[in-house]
Every structure is written in C-alpha cells, then in structure tokens.
Amino acid sequence: MKRIIFLVMALVSQSYYVKAQVNVSKSIDEFTGIQSLYAFEGKGRYQRIKDRIDKLKEVEFSMSYVSNKEGRLLVVHFSFYPRYSDMGCLSKYDGKIILLLDNGKTIECTQNSETDCSDSPSASYVFYEKGVKSIEQGFLQSEEKLEEISKSVISKIRVYANKGYRDYEIQEEKGGVFTRCYEAIMDKL
C-alpha cells in the first residue's frame, strides 16, 4: 500500500507542468541571400490553443529574425482570437502594442504589417520607433529593449486597434516566452 501511495505521489509531483519547447525553423533564400529564422513555443509543428500565451487563450505569439545585406531585423507576431468582443482593425498606420513587465516598466512595439480587419486579426510588430533610418539601427534598438525584457517577464500586453485597445493578462509560465524565443533564435545563428 505504501508503494502505491509513493508511486502516485511521484507521478503527480512530476506532471504538474511540462515545459513547452521552442521550435525554430531556419531558411536561406538562394536568390536573395536573405536568412530568416522563425520561432514559437509549443509542442509540435504548429501552435495549439493550449500554447497561447494569455489567460483567456486568445493570443498566439511567435518571433522572426531576418538578415540581409542591409542589416538585421527582429519582428514579433501576434494573432488574436477574440471570443467576446470585436477588436476592430489592427492598423499599419498607428497600430502598436505595449508590453507591461512585472517590474512595472513598459516597452512599446510598432506595427509593421498591413492592416487586418478580420475576425481573428494578426499583426507583426517591431521594437523600434517609426522613422528609424536603417534596418540595422532598428535591430540595435530592438536588442536594447530585448535586454530589458530578459531581466523581467511580461505580465500583460495592451493591443491598440481602431476600436480602442484591449488588455491581455499573460499566463505566469508564458511570461518569459519572448526571451526563450529570442535566445533560441540567437543559438541557431
């Protein structure tokens, strides 16, 4: 009887949380020489609902790194699956997200993808301000902000759309997903 109880306790203590892996795919375009890496956290080749980063399971996150002759670029991608309200359009003109870190600091990311007005909008964001003079300068600004993120975890994100903004609370175990994806990409370079 004691063995059975011990065995059950051992199984329960080891299965409370299985950490998802970071998947990284790498490609190089033969014609242009552009190198790109794409990373997301989850099990398998595609993200599943349980891999979403917010508490309501409405937000998917991934990260891309692209390099060419002009420089390097780091981009974060979000897909939103709002169940309860219409977000409106994610606009290429004034779209942004703000990351709230658990130390109280905020980091703003600028949308750099086309406007999306679908029911499940997606957008890509960069860590630098509009008007940056070169891709490389933008990457250096991105590295500064990622350094700040790596010292902390993300607790919330605020997404701006044309109908206002929406806040998403990030699951505690997913708060470090930005850092984990960034480190996995840098390890593959």
Side-chain angles (χ1 to χ4, degrees):
M1 182 69 165
K2 288 182 181 178
R3 280 193 228 174
I4 293 173
I5 292 172
F6 177 74
L7 181 60
V8 169
M9 288 175 57
L11 289 172
V12 169
S13 68
Q14 293 198 6
S15 64
Y16 65 96
Y17 175 66
V18 177
K19 189 174 180 182
Q21 65 188 26
V22 175
N23 295 295
V24 180
S25 61
K26 182 177 181 178
S27 64
I28 298 175
D29 186 299
E30 294 175 21
F31 293 98
T32 63
I34 294 174
Q35 175 181 340
S36 60
L37 288 95
Y38 173 78
F40 70 91
E41 191 171 82
K43 291 186 176 177
R45 294 177 61 181
Y46 306 100
Q47 288 186 354
R48 301 168 300 178
I49 291 174
K50 68 188 223 173
D51 296 325
R52 294 180 181 165
I53 64 172
D54 65 310
K55 290 188 175 183
L56 296 175
K57 302 289 187 192
E58 295 183 1
V59 181
E60 283 183 0
F61 166 79
S62 60
M63 183 179 286
S64 294
Y65 168 92
V66 179
S67 80
N68 62 17
K69 295 175 212 154
E70 296 175 30
R72 304 166 288 173
L73 181 63
L74 191 67
V75 181
V76 291
H77 311 278
F78 288 94
S79 295
F80 301 96
Y81 301 91
R83 291 182 271 178
Y84 305 111
S85 66
D86 179 16
M87 295 178 68
C89 300
L90 300 176
S91 172
K92 71 176 184 178
Y93 302 106
D94 56 4
K96 66 180 178 179
I97 60 169
I98 298 177
L99 311 173
L100 176 63
L101 305 179
D102 65 352
N103 63 10
K105 293 184 179 181
T106 60
I107 294 180
E108 188 171 312
C109 300
T110 306
Q111 184 172 330
N112 76 333
S113 58
E114 292 299 314
T115 298
D116 187 346
C117 297
S118 67
D119 291 338
S120 299
S122 297
S124 298
Y125 301 87
V126 291
F127 287 99
Y128 57 82
E129 295 78 32
K130 290 187 181 202
V132 75
K133 297 199 182 335
S134 72
I135 292 174
E136 188 64 21
Q137 182 185 5
F139 184 80
L140 296 174
Q141 285 183 17
S142 299
E143 281 190 319
E144 290 172 16
K145 291 182 180 181
L146 280 160
E147 179 68 28
E148 183 67 38
I149 292 172
S150 71
K151 297 175 186 171
S152 190
V153 295
I154 296 165
S155 58
K156 288 185 180 179
I157 60 172
R158 175 168 286 175
V159 182
Y160 287 85
N162 71 335
K163 291 186 177 181
Y165 65 85
R166 184 154 183 202
D167 291 342
Y168 289 96
E169 192 171 344
I170 304 303
Q171 298 177 61
E172 191 173 320
E173 66 270 10
K174 298 285 188 175
V177 69
F178 286 74
T179 302
R180 291 189 294 272
C181 286
Y182 177 70
E183 288 173 352
I185 285 174
M186 292 300 125
D187 285 347
K188 294 283 184 180
L189 291 178

